[in-house]
Amino acid sequence: LPGRPPCWWSWAPAEAEEGAEADARTRDALRTICGEAAEAGVRIGIEYEPGFRIGTASELATVLDALDLPELGANFDVGHAVVAGEDPAAEIRRFAGRIWNLHIELIRGGVHFHLVPGDGDIDFSRVFEALRETRCPAFLTLELYTMADRPDEAGRRSLDRLRALERARPTP
């Protein structure tokens, strides 16, 4: 799919778009997208986001299970899991083998505002343990659009903190 990102996120539903008709439109759109993706050798990851049509891990699992398309998986956002009240490590295990991309950022107090790792409430040692346990090959992306005015600082601080976590992890 030239020019199109391999991540699909659902829209914030209008009241008129809720229910079985919207679910059917979502499934039809994903079948079409995944058909084209399969021909191009591309995988599609759905990013669930609280408040959107697919807003929780359970809703995403329902869609993935219903469609059962090999090229369809998750663009898993650790912060979205926390905002949805979920355990990111448990959800990584749930989607083992179906996570194509991984977004990381920190969240504080359940508020959807992306922070540098170490500045929020997420226990990344558990997240990284789940990633190692499931042998998750996902491409990891720091998602810090809230710090667009100082990307060098955000990147440097994030990398330093993530490296410290990696050094601190116990050896098997």
Side-chain angles (χ1 to χ4, degrees):
L1 300 173
R4 295 185 191 169
C7 175
W8 183 87
W9 65 94
S10 62
W11 63 96
E15 285 186 31
E17 293 182 320
E18 293 184 11
E21 186 177 326
D23 291 342
R25 283 187 328 125
T26 298
R27 287 190 304 272
D28 289 346
L30 287 168
R31 281 188 195 99
T32 299
I33 291 167
C34 287
E36 291 182 35
E39 290 177 20
V42 173
R43 296 186 298 186
I44 302 297
I46 298 175
E47 181 172 344
Y48 70 89
E49 183 165 348
F52 279 50
R53 183 84 187 129
I54 301 170
T56 66
S58 292
E59 291 169 348
L60 176 56
T62 297
V63 170
L64 295 179
D65 292 346
L67 292 173
D68 194 29
L69 298 167
E71 56 280 339
L72 187 61
N75 179 63
F76 188 81
D77 188 302
V78 172
H80 290 175
V82 171
V83 172
E86 302 162 345
D87 174 0
E91 299 308 339
I92 287 167
R93 289 179 180 95
R94 179 201 301 230
F95 293 112
R98 301 291 302 268
I99 297 175
W100 310 152
N101 304 300
L102 185 81
H103 286 182
I104 62 169
E105 73 278 342
L106 264 284
I107 300 294
R108 185 181 302 132
V111 176
H112 191 188
F113 187 83
H114 294 211
L115 300 168
V116 168
D119 289 353
D121 302 329
I122 299 171
D123 180 354
F124 268 103
S125 63
R126 292 189 65 244
V127 168
F128 289 146
E129 177 183 318
L131 292 171
R132 282 189 299 277
E133 179 184 305
T134 61
R135 300 186 193 284
C136 184
F139 185 75
L140 189 139
T141 304
L142 275 170
E143 190 176 28
L144 298 173
Y145 58 82
T146 56
M147 299 188 75
D149 59 329
R150 42 187 201 225
D152 292 343
E153 173 196 342
R156 195 170 19 263
R157 285 179 47 218
S158 296
L159 191 56
D160 289 347
R161 289 179 179 171
L162 293 171
R163 283 181 175 152
L165 275 172
E166 181 61 23
R167 283 191 302 271
R169 82 177 169 108
T171 53

